mmCIF file of all heavy atoms in Angstrom:
data_model
loop_
_atom_site.group_PDB
_atom_site.id
_atom_site.type_symbol
_atom_site.label_atom_id
_atom_site.label_comp_id
_atom_site.label_asym_id
_atom_site.label_seq_id
_atom_site.Cartn_x
_atom_site.Cartn_y
_atom_site.Cartn_z
ATOM 1 N N GLN A 64 -18.562 25.262 -1.045
ATOM 2 C CA GLN A 64 -18.242 26.350 -1.998
ATOM 3 C C GLN A 64 -16.753 26.531 -2.091
ATOM 4 O O GLN A 64 -16.048 26.528 -1.057
ATOM 5 C CB GLN A 64 -18.910 27.670 -1.533
ATOM 6 C CG GLN A 64 -18.739 28.800 -2.479
ATOM 7 C CD GLN A 64 -19.602 29.996 -2.093
ATOM 8 O OE1 GLN A 64 -20.805 29.835 -1.879
ATOM 9 N NE2 GLN A 64 -18.989 31.156 -1.999
ATOM 10 N N LEU A 65 -16.247 26.668 -3.318
ATOM 11 C CA LEU A 65 -14.830 26.907 -3.559
ATOM 12 C C LEU A 65 -14.666 28.323 -4.140
ATOM 13 O O LEU A 65 -15.227 28.621 -5.192
ATOM 14 C CB LEU A 65 -14.259 25.866 -4.545
ATOM 15 C CG LEU A 65 -12.798 25.980 -4.902
ATOM 16 C CD1 LEU A 65 -11.910 25.794 -3.667
ATOM 17 C CD2 LEU A 65 -12.381 24.984 -5.976
ATOM 18 N N ASP A 66 -13.886 29.153 -3.453
ATOM 19 C CA ASP A 66 -13.663 30.547 -3.868
ATOM 20 C C ASP A 66 -12.187 30.820 -4.110
ATOM 21 O O ASP A 66 -11.317 30.110 -3.526
ATOM 22 C CB ASP A 66 -14.178 31.526 -2.809
ATOM 23 C CG ASP A 66 -15.657 31.377 -2.570
ATOM 24 O OD1 ASP A 66 -16.410 31.370 -3.576
ATOM 25 O OD2 ASP A 66 -16.081 31.296 -1.416
ATOM 26 N N CYS A 67 -11.954 31.838 -4.910
ATOM 27 C CA CYS A 67 -10.578 32.359 -5.121
ATOM 28 C C CYS A 67 -10.563 33.823 -4.706
ATOM 29 O O CYS A 67 -11.336 34.624 -5.215
ATOM 30 C CB CYS A 67 -10.185 32.218 -6.572
ATOM 31 S SG CYS A 67 -8.580 32.939 -6.980
ATOM 32 N N ILE A 68 -9.683 34.158 -3.772
ATOM 33 C CA ILE A 68 -9.583 35.534 -3.245
ATOM 34 C C ILE A 68 -8.277 36.126 -3.745
ATOM 35 O O ILE A 68 -7.192 35.606 -3.446
ATOM 36 C CB ILE A 68 -9.638 35.548 -1.708
ATOM 37 C CG1 ILE A 68 -10.900 34.851 -1.236
ATOM 38 C CG2 ILE A 68 -9.598 36.984 -1.214
ATOM 39 C CD1 ILE A 68 -10.945 34.601 0.254
ATOM 40 N N VAL A 69 -8.370 37.210 -4.505
ATOM 41 C CA VAL A 69 -7.191 37.815 -5.132
ATOM 42 C C VAL A 69 -7.023 39.239 -4.561
ATOM 43 O O VAL A 69 -7.978 39.990 -4.516
ATOM 44 C CB VAL A 69 -7.325 37.875 -6.662
ATOM 45 C CG1 VAL A 69 -6.083 38.508 -7.289
ATOM 46 C CG2 VAL A 69 -7.550 36.488 -7.240
ATOM 47 N N SER A 70 -5.802 39.570 -4.164
ATOM 48 C CA SER A 70 -5.507 40.941 -3.737
ATOM 49 C C SER A 70 -4.550 41.559 -4.745
ATOM 50 O O SER A 70 -3.646 40.897 -5.255
ATOM 51 C CB SER A 70 -4.865 40.942 -2.355
ATOM 52 O OG SER A 70 -3.630 40.284 -2.351
ATOM 53 N N PHE A 71 -4.795 42.862 -5.041
ATOM 54 C CA PHE A 71 -4.049 43.577 -6.083
ATOM 55 C C PHE A 71 -3.096 44.579 -5.442
ATOM 56 O O PHE A 71 -3.204 44.911 -4.257
ATOM 57 C CB PHE A 71 -5.003 44.263 -7.060
ATOM 58 C CG PHE A 71 -5.935 43.313 -7.764
ATOM 59 C CD1 PHE A 71 -7.223 43.096 -7.300
ATOM 60 C CD2 PHE A 71 -5.523 42.657 -8.883
ATOM 61 C CE1 PHE A 71 -8.061 42.239 -7.936
ATOM 62 C CE2 PHE A 71 -6.362 41.806 -9.540
ATOM 63 C CZ PHE A 71 -7.653 41.571 -9.100
ATOM 64 N N GLU A 72 -2.237 45.125 -6.298
ATOM 65 C CA GLU A 72 -1.263 46.118 -5.837
ATOM 66 C C GLU A 72 -1.911 47.401 -5.344
ATOM 67 O O GLU A 72 -1.329 48.172 -4.608
ATOM 68 C CB GLU A 72 -0.263 46.445 -6.954
ATOM 69 C CG GLU A 72 -0.951 47.035 -8.174
ATOM 70 C CD GLU A 72 0.024 47.370 -9.308
ATOM 71 O OE1 GLU A 72 1.212 47.292 -9.043
ATOM 72 O OE2 GLU A 72 -0.444 47.727 -10.400
ATOM 73 N N THR A 73 -3.138 47.634 -5.823
ATOM 74 C CA THR A 73 -3.846 48.839 -5.421
ATOM 75 C C THR A 73 -4.426 48.761 -4.011
ATOM 76 O O THR A 73 -4.935 49.743 -3.513
ATOM 77 C CB THR A 73 -4.999 49.120 -6.397
ATOM 78 O OG1 THR A 73 -5.897 47.985 -6.379
ATOM 79 C CG2 THR A 73 -4.490 49.352 -7.796
ATOM 80 N N GLY A 74 -4.291 47.589 -3.387
ATOM 81 C CA GLY A 74 -4.884 47.389 -2.045
ATOM 82 C C GLY A 74 -6.300 46.843 -2.105
ATOM 83 O O GLY A 74 -6.886 46.520 -1.056
ATOM 84 N N LYS A 75 -6.859 46.681 -3.291
ATOM 85 C CA LYS A 75 -8.200 46.111 -3.403
ATOM 86 C C LYS A 75 -8.140 44.603 -3.402
ATOM 87 O O LYS A 75 -7.133 44.004 -3.758
ATOM 88 C CB LYS A 75 -8.859 46.623 -4.697
ATOM 89 C CG LYS A 75 -9.088 48.128 -4.710
ATOM 90 C CD LYS A 75 -9.780 48.539 -6.023
ATOM 91 C CE LYS A 75 -10.019 50.033 -6.050
ATOM 92 N NZ LYS A 75 -10.679 50.450 -7.298
ATOM 93 N N MET A 76 -9.276 43.981 -3.008
ATOM 94 C CA MET A 76 -9.403 42.500 -2.989
ATOM 95 C C MET A 76 -10.678 42.147 -3.738
ATOM 96 O O MET A 76 -11.680 42.839 -3.628
ATOM 97 C CB MET A 76 -9.424 41.971 -1.559
ATOM 98 C CG MET A 76 -8.151 42.250 -0.775
ATOM 99 S SD MET A 76 -8.201 41.538 0.881
ATOM 100 C CE MET A 76 -8.200 39.808 0.499
ATOM 101 N N SER A 77 -10.634 41.004 -4.450
ATOM 102 C CA SER A 77 -11.791 40.513 -5.159
ATOM 103 C C SER A 77 -11.955 39.045 -4.915
ATOM 104 O O SER A 77 -10.948 38.293 -4.797
ATOM 105 C CB SER A 77 -11.636 40.777 -6.685
ATOM 106 O OG SER A 77 -11.565 42.129 -6.934
ATOM 107 N N THR A 78 -13.197 38.577 -4.773
ATOM 108 C CA THR A 78 -13.507 37.169 -4.519
ATOM 109 C C THR A 78 -14.268 36.624 -5.729
ATOM 110 O O THR A 78 -15.246 37.227 -6.183
ATOM 111 C CB THR A 78 -14.372 37.015 -3.250
ATOM 112 O OG1 THR A 78 -13.658 37.585 -2.131
ATOM 113 C CG2 THR A 78 -14.666 35.566 -2.977
ATOM 114 N N PHE A 79 -13.795 35.476 -6.257
ATOM 115 C CA PHE A 79 -14.387 34.856 -7.419
ATOM 116 C C PHE A 79 -14.888 33.455 -7.064
ATOM 117 O O PHE A 79 -14.160 32.661 -6.458
ATOM 118 C CB PHE A 79 -13.355 34.748 -8.556
ATOM 119 C CG PHE A 79 -12.746 36.054 -8.925
ATOM 120 C CD1 PHE A 79 -11.551 36.462 -8.360
ATOM 121 C CD2 PHE A 79 -13.364 36.858 -9.871
ATOM 122 C CE1 PHE A 79 -10.986 37.674 -8.708
ATOM 123 C CE2 PHE A 79 -12.794 38.088 -10.210
ATOM 124 C CZ PHE A 79 -11.614 38.522 -9.629
ATOM 125 N N LEU A 80 -16.143 33.146 -7.337
ATOM 126 C CA LEU A 80 -16.726 31.816 -7.108
ATOM 127 C C LEU A 80 -16.269 30.861 -8.174
ATOM 128 O O LEU A 80 -16.496 31.117 -9.382
ATOM 129 C CB LEU A 80 -18.256 31.939 -7.081
ATOM 130 C CG LEU A 80 -19.006 30.622 -6.953
ATOM 131 C CD1 LEU A 80 -18.688 29.947 -5.609
ATOM 132 C CD2 LEU A 80 -20.518 30.830 -7.084
ATOM 133 N N LEU A 81 -15.635 29.792 -7.778
ATOM 134 C CA LEU A 81 -15.125 28.818 -8.734
ATOM 135 C C LEU A 81 -16.100 27.635 -8.922
ATOM 136 O O LEU A 81 -16.455 27.290 -10.051
ATOM 137 C CB LEU A 81 -13.737 28.295 -8.324
ATOM 138 C CG LEU A 81 -12.644 29.352 -8.185
ATOM 139 C CD1 LEU A 81 -11.350 28.706 -7.765
ATOM 140 C CD2 LEU A 81 -12.467 30.126 -9.476
ATOM 141 N N ARG A 82 -16.468 26.964 -7.815
ATOM 142 C CA ARG A 82 -17.391 25.807 -7.870
ATOM 143 C C ARG A 82 -18.296 25.839 -6.649
ATOM 144 O O ARG A 82 -17.946 26.394 -5.593
ATOM 145 C CB ARG A 82 -16.629 24.495 -7.918
ATOM 146 C CG ARG A 82 -15.843 24.250 -9.192
ATOM 147 C CD ARG A 82 -16.768 24.100 -10.412
ATOM 148 N NE ARG A 82 -17.591 22.935 -10.321
ATOM 149 C CZ ARG A 82 -17.268 21.732 -10.775
ATOM 150 N NH1 ARG A 82 -16.072 21.552 -11.302
ATOM 151 N NH2 ARG A 82 -18.078 20.721 -10.708
ATOM 152 N N GLN A 83 -19.442 25.127 -6.749
ATOM 153 C CA GLN A 83 -20.400 25.037 -5.650
ATOM 154 C C GLN A 83 -21.240 23.787 -5.852
ATOM 155 O O GLN A 83 -21.688 23.501 -6.958
ATOM 156 C CB GLN A 83 -21.270 26.320 -5.676
ATOM 157 C CG GLN A 83 -22.213 26.448 -4.488
ATOM 158 C CD GLN A 83 -22.960 27.756 -4.518
ATOM 159 O OE1 GLN A 83 -22.388 28.780 -4.232
ATOM 160 N NE2 GLN A 83 -24.212 27.738 -4.905
ATOM 161 N N TRP A 84 -21.451 23.011 -4.763
ATOM 162 C CA TRP A 84 -22.265 21.809 -4.874
ATOM 163 C C TRP A 84 -22.898 21.508 -3.508
ATOM 164 O O TRP A 84 -22.520 22.105 -2.475
ATOM 165 C CB TRP A 84 -21.474 20.615 -5.372
ATOM 166 C CG TRP A 84 -20.351 20.174 -4.439
ATOM 167 C CD1 TRP A 84 -20.439 19.262 -3.431
ATOM 168 C CD2 TRP A 84 -19.012 20.619 -4.456
ATOM 169 N NE1 TRP A 84 -19.225 19.110 -2.818
ATOM 170 C CE2 TRP A 84 -18.328 19.937 -3.433
ATOM 171 C CE3 TRP A 84 -18.305 21.556 -5.234
ATOM 172 C CZ2 TRP A 84 -17.001 20.141 -3.160
ATOM 173 C CZ3 TRP A 84 -16.972 21.721 -4.984
ATOM 174 C CH2 TRP A 84 -16.312 21.052 -3.945
ATOM 175 N N SER A 85 -23.843 20.616 -3.470
ATOM 176 C CA SER A 85 -24.601 20.279 -2.250
ATOM 177 C C SER A 85 -23.870 19.210 -1.464
ATOM 178 O O SER A 85 -23.217 18.328 -2.033
ATOM 179 C CB SER A 85 -26.010 19.805 -2.566
ATOM 180 O OG SER A 85 -26.721 20.825 -3.267
ATOM 181 N N CYS A 86 -24.028 19.313 -0.158
ATOM 182 C CA CYS A 86 -23.463 18.306 0.750
ATOM 183 C C CYS A 86 -24.618 17.655 1.529
ATOM 184 O O CYS A 86 -25.442 18.321 2.150
ATOM 185 C CB CYS A 86 -22.476 18.968 1.732
ATOM 186 S SG CYS A 86 -21.840 17.839 3.003
ATOM 187 N N VAL A 87 -24.668 16.270 1.457
ATOM 188 C CA VAL A 87 -25.718 15.544 2.197
ATOM 189 C C VAL A 87 -25.102 14.869 3.436
ATOM 190 O O VAL A 87 -23.965 14.430 3.383
ATOM 191 C CB VAL A 87 -26.329 14.463 1.297
ATOM 192 C CG1 VAL A 87 -27.782 14.577 1.169
ATOM 193 C CG2 VAL A 87 -25.678 14.373 -0.030
ATOM 194 N N PRO A 88 -25.802 14.855 4.561
ATOM 195 C CA PRO A 88 -25.251 14.218 5.750
ATOM 196 C C PRO A 88 -24.922 12.767 5.475
ATOM 197 O O PRO A 88 -25.586 12.091 4.710
ATOM 198 C CB PRO A 88 -26.355 14.387 6.795
ATOM 199 C CG PRO A 88 -27.227 15.474 6.300
ATOM 200 C CD PRO A 88 -27.147 15.407 4.820
ATOM 201 N N GLY A 89 -23.948 12.252 6.142
ATOM 202 C CA GLY A 89 -23.535 10.868 5.951
ATOM 203 C C GLY A 89 -22.030 10.756 5.914
ATOM 204 O O GLY A 89 -21.327 11.551 6.549
ATOM 205 N N ASP A 90 -21.601 9.754 5.173
ATOM 206 C CA ASP A 90 -20.154 9.586 5.087
ATOM 207 C C ASP A 90 -19.502 10.757 4.365
ATOM 208 O O ASP A 90 -20.111 11.353 3.475
ATOM 209 C CB ASP A 90 -19.830 8.274 4.276
ATOM 210 C CG ASP A 90 -20.277 7.058 5.052
ATOM 211 O OD1 ASP A 90 -20.381 7.172 6.311
ATOM 212 O OD2 ASP A 90 -20.504 6.051 4.417
ATOM 213 N N PRO A 91 -18.269 11.100 4.746
ATOM 214 C CA PRO A 91 -17.572 12.184 4.066
ATOM 215 C C PRO A 91 -17.328 11.850 2.609
ATOM 216 O O PRO A 91 -17.181 10.697 2.249
ATOM 217 C CB PRO A 91 -16.269 12.341 4.864
ATOM 218 C CG PRO A 91 -16.071 11.008 5.502
ATOM 219 C CD PRO A 91 -17.424 10.463 5.826
ATOM 220 N N GLY A 92 -17.251 12.913 1.803
ATOM 221 C CA GLY A 92 -17.040 12.716 0.374
ATOM 222 C C GLY A 92 -15.738 13.373 -0.083
ATOM 223 O O GLY A 92 -15.203 14.258 0.562
ATOM 224 N N ILE A 93 -15.268 12.902 -1.208
ATOM 225 C CA ILE A 93 -14.092 13.488 -1.843
ATOM 226 C C ILE A 93 -14.512 13.821 -3.285
ATOM 227 O O ILE A 93 -14.949 12.966 -4.014
ATOM 228 C CB ILE A 93 -12.902 12.523 -1.871
ATOM 229 C CG1 ILE A 93 -12.502 12.116 -0.457
ATOM 230 C CG2 ILE A 93 -11.731 13.146 -2.630
ATOM 231 C CD1 ILE A 93 -11.399 11.088 -0.412
ATOM 232 N N ARG A 94 -14.341 15.111 -3.635
ATOM 233 C CA ARG A 94 -14.721 15.538 -4.970
ATOM 234 C C ARG A 94 -13.492 16.095 -5.682
ATOM 235 O O ARG A 94 -12.718 16.881 -5.128
ATOM 236 C CB ARG A 94 -15.820 16.586 -4.936
ATOM 237 C CG ARG A 94 -16.137 17.127 -6.329
ATOM 238 C CD ARG A 94 -17.413 17.942 -6.320
ATOM 239 N NE ARG A 94 -18.568 17.074 -6.161
ATOM 240 C CZ ARG A 94 -19.759 17.254 -6.738
ATOM 241 N NH1 ARG A 94 -19.932 18.286 -7.533
ATOM 242 N NH2 ARG A 94 -20.748 16.435 -6.487
ATOM 243 N N THR A 95 -13.320 15.658 -6.891
ATOM 244 C CA THR A 95 -12.235 16.163 -7.745
ATOM 245 C C THR A 95 -12.818 17.174 -8.701
ATOM 246 O O THR A 95 -13.738 16.866 -9.479
ATOM 247 C CB THR A 95 -11.553 15.038 -8.513
ATOM 248 O OG1 THR A 95 -11.057 14.051 -7.608
ATOM 249 C CG2 THR A 95 -10.411 15.548 -9.366
ATOM 250 N N VAL A 96 -12.290 18.380 -8.684
ATOM 251 C CA VAL A 96 -12.791 19.470 -9.545
ATOM 252 C C VAL A 96 -11.642 20.064 -10.340
ATOM 253 O O VAL A 96 -10.482 20.050 -9.887
ATOM 254 C CB VAL A 96 -13.496 20.581 -8.730
ATOM 255 C CG1 VAL A 96 -14.682 20.045 -7.983
ATOM 256 C CG2 VAL A 96 -12.545 21.209 -7.757
#
Side-chain angles (χ1 to χ4, degrees):
Q64 184 171 309
L65 179 64
D66 298 311
C67 175
I68 305 170
V69 180
S70 64
F71 300 96
E72 61 180 352
T73 59
K75 296 181 179 179
M76 298 183 67
S77 298
T78 302
F79 304 93
L80 175 63
L81 300 180
R82 292 295 294 272
Q83 186 175 286
W84 65 90
S85 300
C86 173
V87 236
D90 293 337
I93 300 176
R94 175 166 289 216
T95 303
V96 298

